[in-house]
Amino acid sequence: MGDLDGVWAVERVSGALPPLHGCVKRIHGARGTTEFPRLPGMPFEVRGLELHYPLGILVDRLEPRNGSYLGRATLLGRELGQFTLRRLDAMGQLKEQLIKHIDEAHAMEQNVLRMLDGMIATTDDPEILDALEHHKLQTQGHADRMAQRLEAHDATPSTVKQIGGLIGALAKMPLDIVRGEKAGRNARDGYATEHMEIASYELLRRIAEKTGDEETARAAREIIEEERAMALVIDQNWDKFAELSLREEGVTV
């Protein structure tokens, strides 16, 4: 095991480096990755106290500092900025994972808000419209709570634009509703979204509990109940959604 083996929190010190919120470096032997929330890891090769990224254009040069390291990020040998590396123990790694999941929940809610705007714009049924508008208010509250939990951990919502997986799927959903069968597609997408949100908050709740963050765990539990209630509203109206969907296509039964 090398001196650099482990998981390190990265914090910006100076220079042209971007904010490094949630950034970690994972090192094992001669290999490692630099990771940001919701982005694939950037691999590097460990050569002594230097971290060489592919093509050798980017190199991080490290200097020991009281059990941690001062890093100098260089581009073609020219220093871009400085950062620190702080080794994360087991609890530190748990906290990093907690922040990552809170950040992803916040991003998820932002995408759900955009999806709800699209649904509201294409919904004519007064009862369904009322339910969607009410849930939009709840969703804004969910996003605000996740932002507050990030702030409690001295973190801020990620500004990373690249999204994938669940969040990417949610971002694409509003594109479907410009086509026909708006009521049916709204119901389908909304029902799937509610259950994906429930699953995300179930994971967040358990990670928060393991980290000892009862406030985040309580927020996740309360949000789950509101998501389940919205899913139930959809579940109880499938006949109406089917009839509306057929009517939109000019089909009478």
Side-chain angles (χ1 to χ4, degrees):
M1 178 176 178
D3 292 340
L4 291 175
D5 280 17
V7 181
W8 301 82
V10 186
E11 297 179 5
R12 180 185 178 277
V13 173
S14 64
L17 297 178
L20 299 174
H21 303 305
C23 179
V24 298
K25 292 186 186 290
R26 300 179 188 275
I27 300 175
H28 181 72
R31 295 287 185 271
T33 55
T34 297
E35 302 174 6
F36 289 87
R38 304 197 301 275
L39 278 176
M42 297 180 289
F44 56 76
E45 180 182 345
V46 180
R47 301 179 188 174
L49 291 179
E50 293 186 345
L51 313 179
H52 290 250
Y53 293 85
L55 303 179
I57 297 174
L58 291 171
V59 177
D60 292 338
R61 296 190 169 98
L62 308 179
E63 301 173 12
R65 292 288 176 92
N66 299 320
S68 299
Y69 289 90
L70 174 69
R72 302 178 188 276
T74 67
L75 175 65
L76 295 175
R78 183 174 181 178
E79 183 173 312
L80 295 175
Q82 298 180 12
F83 59 89
T84 60
L85 292 184
R86 174 175 52 84
R87 189 188 295 275
L88 294 175
D89 56 17
M91 183 53 68
Q93 293 182 47
L94 262 178
K95 183 177 177 181
E96 288 295 321
Q97 287 299 309
L98 173 63
I99 292 172
K100 172 186 171 183
H101 280 267
I102 298 173
D103 187 40
E104 289 178 349
H106 180 267
M108 174 178 66
E109 297 293 5
Q110 295 296 323
N111 281 281
V112 173
L113 281 170
R114 288 191 285 273
M115 186 184 75
L116 287 169
D117 282 338
M119 289 181 169
I120 289 169
T122 57
T123 298
D124 299 323
D125 183 85
E127 183 179 353
I128 301 303
L129 185 60
D130 182 67
L132 289 173
E133 289 177 339
H134 175 68
H135 194 54
K136 180 182 176 181
L137 291 176
Q138 290 182 322
T139 300
Q140 183 61 63
H142 301 167
D144 292 343
R145 292 186 78 173
M146 291 299 101
Q148 291 166 5
R149 296 315 303 152
L150 284 172
E151 184 178 356
H153 290 284
D154 298 320
T156 56
S158 175
T159 57
V160 175
K161 300 300 183 184
Q162 180 175 331
I163 54 180
L166 163 64
I167 301 172
L170 294 181
K172 295 175 183 176
M173 281 183 175
L175 300 177
D176 289 338
I177 60 178
V178 301
R179 298 197 289 264
E181 299 181 64
K182 292 184 292 290
R185 290 180 180 275
N186 281 349
R188 179 203 64 190
D189 293 349
Y191 194 71
T193 299
E194 295 308 319
H195 286 85
M196 287 191 288
E197 288 186 276
I198 290 167
S200 295
Y201 281 111
E202 288 285 9
L203 284 173
L204 174 57
R205 177 176 70 83
R206 286 162 173 79
I207 293 171
E209 289 172 348
K210 291 181 181 295
T211 313
D213 182 354
E214 180 52 36
E215 286 297 320
T216 297
R218 176 164 49 250
R221 285 194 295 269
E222 293 171 357
I223 291 172
I224 286 169
E225 290 307 310
E226 292 183 347
E227 305 295 4
R228 285 176 174 162
M230 184 60 191
L232 182 61
V233 169
I234 299 172
D235 196 41
Q236 293 173 338
N237 284 277
W238 282 119
D239 289 339
K240 175 183 289 189
F241 289 127
E243 291 171 4
L244 289 171
S245 182
L246 291 171
R247 191 183 309 163
E248 287 166 0
E249 294 299 300
V251 178
T252 58
V253 178

